[in-house]
Amino acid sequence: MKPSMRSRQEPRRVSNGVIIGAMLLSLCVLSIVKARYCATPFGKAEDQLQEQMNASIRMETDESPARTPGEEEEDEPEEVPSTAPAVTTPAAVSTTTGGGGKGRKGGKSKGGKAKPTCYMTSKRSERCDASGDIRVDGNRSTIYVSGIDREWRTKPYARYHDPVAMAHVREYTLKPLGAAGDAAPACTKNHSVPGFMFSNGGFSGNLYHDYTDVLVPLFISTHQFKGRVKFLLSGMKPWWVAKFTPFFQQLTRYDVIDVDNDQEVHCFPRILIGATFHKDMGVDPRRSPGHVSVVDFKRALRRAFGLEREAASRGGATGTGKPRLLIISRRGSRRFLNEREMARVAAEAGFEVRVAEPDQHTDMATFAKLVNSADVMIGVHGAGLTNMVFLPRGAVLIQVVPFGGLEWLTSVTFKDPAADMEVNYMDYNVKLEESSLIDQYPKNHQVLTDPYAVHKQGWDALKTAYLDKQNIRIDLDRFKATLQDAMSRLP
């Protein structure tokens, strides 16, 4: 090869080598970054279980079984449109007609894109929103909508990530009005305000799920209507509706319609189906219309049940000069085995003590007032602790965490929501010697020695071992120290 040719090719070879080396170095760096940051976020045993459950927390049931003027802009969809069309023919994404809130017209979102009729507002909740000629035929689980060109199917319950819950929620179909071969029924009852459809299927009847899956999302989605909205309830349980009617009356001026069984064809200028979920027992003010928070939700509850006490006090509110301790009792699993002794120790520590067990037959207003009168509330992890929504500002909630590595579960259900509710939170982590499990299993049994190995077996194994079979005998010396700490946290 001529020297001139060699001189021209050698730099090219060097350049190619540099490029190849840079590419290999980049691959190495990417591999390191992936291993460090992109691995599954659930590395520990309890986190793996949480991923498996996908936040589907099913606690033991403590009970048997046209826009309004001034309405705020609603949340824009966070995810892609619902991908469960009822028809197999290709259909373009259809928009609502005559919708348009503040800053949004002609079915356009803030960014100018066409907004679908149904869309996911979170991984747990779907919203359908349409305006125009709306005809609701509950007997046939069908809603006829003008201005759409495809069918949509939806289940109005904020737990889409949980197939067990959603299997118990009735599905509704939105159909184009005047579709060939499917004549819409004539209106038998006309309404001048929007309709809002939700369900109390799923896990409703368990107090925790009543609030997390239904009541808090309902507040987020409808408070801005200022009462000018009619509720259509699917899966209606009359006793359940009666229980929460005072709260519904804070959100609507009208009686709740049993949409599944009502014989009318209800016609609305607008229909909204499905409430928006933000987080367990909570509200994200950045996303809620009017930037309301869970404190505003608590205020609505106080108005609903006539709760006058806003703040807790070390001096109490009953005229005794002592703070009141409320012990949430349980009949089934996770009950206190030495409840009387606990009440005695608490009285000696300077508390006025009340012990109560809510159930389906408990009058909601009466129990809400009892909780509102408390300065400190204590109970083992379970749906009964949901009554924390009635605690006054500055009160203390003590959650007794059963033995078994359940801190992740107790955090998402009650610890995390407490701060937003202006409630001081405390854990009481049960030691093995305080658990009845020590009498049920040999000393070297896996349930006692390696809870995380039980976690790896799945939710059913965990629930059976640590929630269904466990009762608590509180160490009274530890309990006394905990109460002293709680007393010091009171205003």
Side-chain angles (χ1 to χ4, degrees), residues 26-83:
S26 298
L27 288 173
C28 291
V29 171
L30 287 171
S31 299
I32 293 171
V33 170
K34 182 178 180 181
R36 174 65 179 86
Y37 297 104
C38 299
T40 174
F42 300 102
K44 295 184 291 185
E46 65 269 29
D47 291 336
Q48 291 172 349
L49 179 65
Q50 188 172 17
E51 182 184 43
Q52 172 192 344
M53 291 173 62
N54 197 14
S56 176
I57 300 159
R58 276 163 258 146
M59 294 178 295
E60 176 183 329
T61 303
D62 287 345
E63 304 173 351
S64 335
R67 293 192 183 273
T68 304
E71 179 185 348
E72 298 284 350
E73 175 69 13
E74 295 178 8
D75 294 337
E76 295 299 322
E78 295 179 355
E79 301 184 15
V80 297
S82 174
T83 55

Side-chain angles (χ1 to χ4, degrees), residues 230-242:
K230 288 199 174 183
F231 288 167
L232 298 93
L233 179 57
S234 176
M236 178 184 280
K237 305 166 186 172
W239 63 266
W240 188 91
V241 174

Side-chain angles (χ1 to χ4, degrees), residues 184-207:
C187 301
T188 62
K189 185 165 286 189
N190 289 283
H191 305 276
S192 60
V193 299
F196 190 95
M197 182 184 291
F198 64 104
S199 173
N200 71 340
F203 297 142
S204 297
N206 174 294
L207 195 61

Side-chain angles (χ1 to χ4, degrees), residues 40-243:
T40 174
F42 300 102
K44 295 184 291 185
E46 65 269 29
D47 291 336
Q48 291 172 349
L49 179 65
Q50 188 172 17
E51 182 184 43
Q52 172 192 344
M53 291 173 62
N54 197 14
S56 176
I57 300 159
R58 276 163 258 146
M59 294 178 295
E60 176 183 329
T61 303
D62 287 345
E63 304 173 351
S64 335
R67 293 192 183 273
T68 304
E71 179 185 348
E72 298 284 350
E73 175 69 13
E74 295 178 8
D75 294 337
E76 295 299 322
E78 295 179 355
E79 301 184 15
V80 297
S82 174
T83 55
V87 291
T88 55
T89 56
V93 173
S94 54
T95 61
T96 60
T97 59
K102 208 161 53 173
R104 189 177 74 224
K105 296 182 180 180
K108 299 288 185 179
S109 66
K110 290 179 182 177
K113 297 180 180 179
K115 190 172 183 178
T117 301
C118 298
Y119 54 91
M120 300 301 294
T121 55
S122 75
K123 71 176 182 180
R124 289 179 49 153
S125 55
E126 181 179 56
R127 161 72 63 83
C128 297
D129 186 350
S131 298
D133 186 351
I134 312 294
R135 306 182 189 186
V136 180
D137 185 356
N139 283 315
R140 293 195 284 178
S141 302
T142 303
I143 302 169
Y144 296 89
V145 181
S146 63
I148 63 172
D149 55 10
R150 57 164 284 187
E151 290 188 2
W152 300 83
R153 289 181 180 176
T154 188
K155 292 186 175 184
Y157 185 75
R159 206 170 183 83
Y160 260 76
H161 69 305
D162 191 329
V164 176
M166 298 307 292
H168 300 283
V169 179
R170 188 171 185 173
E171 183 177 73
Y172 269 75
T173 301
L174 282 72
K175 291 187 176 184
L177 187 64
D182 192 3
C187 301
T188 62
K189 185 165 286 189
N190 289 283
H191 305 276
S192 60
V193 299
F196 190 95
M197 182 184 291
F198 64 104
S199 173
N200 71 340
F203 297 142
S204 297
N206 174 294
L207 195 61
Y208 176 80
H209 292 288
D210 289 340
Y211 280 88
T212 292
D213 300 344
V214 183
L215 300 181
V216 175
L218 186 66
F219 173 78
I220 292 170
S221 303
T222 65
H223 74 90
Q224 71 270 20
F225 287 98
K226 304 184 186 304
R228 291 182 53 81
V229 62
K230 288 199 174 183
F231 288 167
L232 298 93
L233 179 57
S234 176
M236 178 184 280
K237 305 166 186 172
W239 63 266
W240 188 91
V241 174
K243 182 176 181 178

